[in-house]
Amino acid sequence: MTANINLPRILRIGAEASQMLPATLKELGLSRPLLVSDAFIVSLGWLTKLQQQLDQEGIFHRSFTGVVPDPTTDAIYEGLAVLRENQHDCVVALGGGSAIDTAKTIAAMAERDQPIRHYKVPQTLDDGLPIIAIPTTAGTGSETTRVAVITDTETHEKMLCMGFGLMPVAALVDFELTMTMPLRLTADTGIDSLCHALEAYVSRRANPFTDTIALASMTAIAKHLRTACREPDNRVAREAMMLAATQGGIAFSNASVTLIHGMSRPIGGLFHVPHGMSNAMLLPAITEWSISGAPSRYADCARAMQLANASDSDDQANQKLVAGLRQLCADLQVPTPASFGISNEEWRQAIPTMAQQALNSGSPANNPRIPNAEQIAELYQGVWTN
């Protein structure tokens, strides 16, 4: 089977990469960027530094700072209004996954007038303004993907959008921007990256290109995530996590996520659980349920994460994998839906909707063990307190 590999045209990784925006714009022949960010990034002064870079080079720019967590269609429409006021020729994202997904969708919707829900999967967004992504969290990998997740303000559905119009033409990946990430954000985005890598490796769409990248990402995350949480100023851990996040993005963008992400999005959309945290809530249980579909692949993951060694059988490795994932979530204080504050009644009432939305996303069809709606519902019920 031929694998289709899609990557940003320009990928700059390392300290001070974020200072190369003017050079990148000139390299791409772009001159009127709309900068997209959020209030927190503004408060850190990072947007101002980006604006100063552009001012020094005489590059016209305007900014939209109305990004919200788990970006909504309302926020996208506000950003589109700003974009259309000034004839911008590209969109620059500065921030975490919410900022990048917002910028992507603004860029892809620039010349479109249908509601955003019209373009969710299985439809595609295959063109739009050029996008340059500058991530500030080591997690989503959105800087390297042709995917965006947007919450429909009216229905609260967390919609999966895909297409070449959502792929950044350039990504400036600067780990120094992650040095101020608080523990909870470091933990949640780190586990999100781990899910990207693990799901890409066991996906039915996995391929030799993504396999090596996914394994490298898992190895680094298992080694460095706890350190990045305990020692936020540890440059070695921060740099390793930033690279692993980008690798995870490359892996899943070209091999797909699976059941974990399929079930995670509805939790975020309906209960406003941060994306990485909702993945973490599901990671051990969904992995355990899925192992029978690809036991040797999951065993590879256990060995890559140094949870098992070469002398372990695949069955032993997989037992250690599940135990290791549960311990990681415990060490990083990942809540259950119950301890997050979601009542059992609310959770039970939402399960049919969540199960259907998970199936509609298409991600569960890439899982090694493909579930039906009833099995997804049972899994949701099982993770409420565990």
Side-chain angles (χ1 to χ4, degrees):
M1 183 179 70
T2 300
N4 294 316
I5 307 302
N6 302 286
L7 299 168
R9 191 184 314 171
I10 297 172
L11 185 55
R12 293 189 165 119
I13 301 175
E16 302 184 357
S18 60
Q19 298 178 29
M20 302 182 71
L21 178 58
T24 303
L25 289 168
K26 290 179 182 178
E27 188 173 346
L28 294 168
L30 302 170
S31 60
R32 295 176 67 85
L34 173 69
L35 309 182
V36 174
S37 195
D38 59 46
F40 179 65
I41 298 300
V42 172
S43 72
L44 294 175
W46 292 344
L47 182 63
T48 298
K49 290 181 179 179
L50 213 59
Q51 293 167 332
Q52 289 171 344
Q53 287 185 44
L54 299 175
D55 288 338
Q56 289 170 3
E57 298 295 327
I59 298 173
F60 173 87
H61 60 87
R62 290 289 183 270
S63 299
F64 170 68
T65 58
V67 170
V68 297
D70 293 321
T72 63
T73 51
D74 278 357
I76 304 298
Y77 294 136
E78 290 174 13
L80 277 167
V82 177
L83 176 83
R84 290 165 177 165
E85 287 174 358
N86 295 289
Q87 296 182 315
H88 293 284
D89 63 0
C90 62
V91 181
V92 176
L94 176 67
S98 294
I100 298 175
D101 281 5
T102 298
K104 286 179 167 186
T105 311
I106 291 171
M109 291 293 296
E111 302 296 330
R112 292 180 164 89
D113 54 16
Q114 293 284 340
I116 295 172
R117 69 174 67 93
H118 178 79
Y119 303 103
K120 69 180 181 180
V121 167
Q123 304 302 316
T124 58
L125 289 162
D126 285 327
D127 54 42
L129 294 179
I131 304 156
I132 297 172
I134 307 175
T136 61
T137 62
T140 69
S142 188
E143 68 274 7
T144 63
T145 76
R146 52 189 178 96
V147 177
V149 179
I150 305 297
T151 299
D152 190 314
T153 306
E154 294 182 17
T155 67
H156 304 292
E157 178 183 358
K158 211 164 187 180
M159 302 180 294
L160 179 64
C161 300
M162 297 187 68
F164 294 115
L166 299 170
M167 172 65 79
V169 295
L172 310 181
V173 184
D174 184 346
F175 77 90
E176 291 184 328
L177 299 181
T178 71
M179 301 296 289
T180 56
M181 286 173 62
L183 186 150
R184 187 72 263 153
L185 183 60
T186 300
D188 292 344
T189 56
I191 295 182
D192 190 21
S193 295
L194 180 60
C195 290
H196 291 157
L198 187 150
E199 290 178 85
Y201 189 78
V202 302
S203 168
R204 289 173 176 265
R205 294 174 54 193
N207 58 76
F209 177 87
T210 57
D211 282 352
T212 55
I213 297 171
L215 290 171
S217 178
M218 281 184 269
T219 298
I221 293 167
K223 181 177 180 180
H224 294 286
L225 177 53
R226 289 180 176 88
T227 302
C229 290
R230 291 193 306 264
E231 305 171 24
D233 294 331
N234 188 309
R235 290 175 65 86
V236 172
R238 289 293 196 186
E239 184 169 17
M241 286 302 301
M242 193 63 153
L243 176 59
T246 298
Q247 290 171 322
I250 291 171
F252 92 79
S253 182
N254 291 286
S256 182
V257 286
T258 59
L259 182 57
I260 295 171
H261 267 74
M263 291 179 61
S264 170
R265 297 185 199 100
I267 297 173
L270 293 174
F271 297 108
H272 308 292
V273 179
H275 175 66
M277 183 182 290
S278 61
N279 281 329
M281 289 175 173
L282 297 165
L283 173 59
I286 304 308
T287 297
E288 184 174 29
W289 185 86
S290 302
I291 281 172
S292 63
S296 65
R297 302 287 284 184
Y298 280 103
D300 289 342
C301 297
R303 296 181 185 107
M305 296 171 64
Q306 300 296 301
L307 296 172
N309 55 52
S311 64
D312 289 322
S313 67
D314 284 356
D315 182 61
Q316 290 171 323
N318 287 326
Q319 290 179 37
K320 291 180 177 181
L321 174 63
V322 174
L325 294 177
R326 292 193 186 282
Q327 187 62 54
L328 176 64
C329 289
D331 291 347
L332 300 185
Q333 300 180 335
V334 174
T336 63
S339 63
F340 184 79
I342 303 170
S343 73
N344 192 20
E345 182 180 359
E346 289 178 305
W347 186 256
R348 288 176 64 88
Q349 288 178 348
I351 284 176
T353 298
M354 292 194 295
Q356 192 57 54
Q357 288 184 357
L359 282 173
N360 290 347
S361 75
S363 298
N366 297 314
N367 206 57
R369 182 183 177 191
I370 299 177
N372 57 33
E374 183 179 349
Q375 289 170 318
I376 292 177
E378 291 174 357
L379 288 166
Y380 272 129
Q381 189 56 51
V383 301
W384 182 66
T385 55
N386 294 305

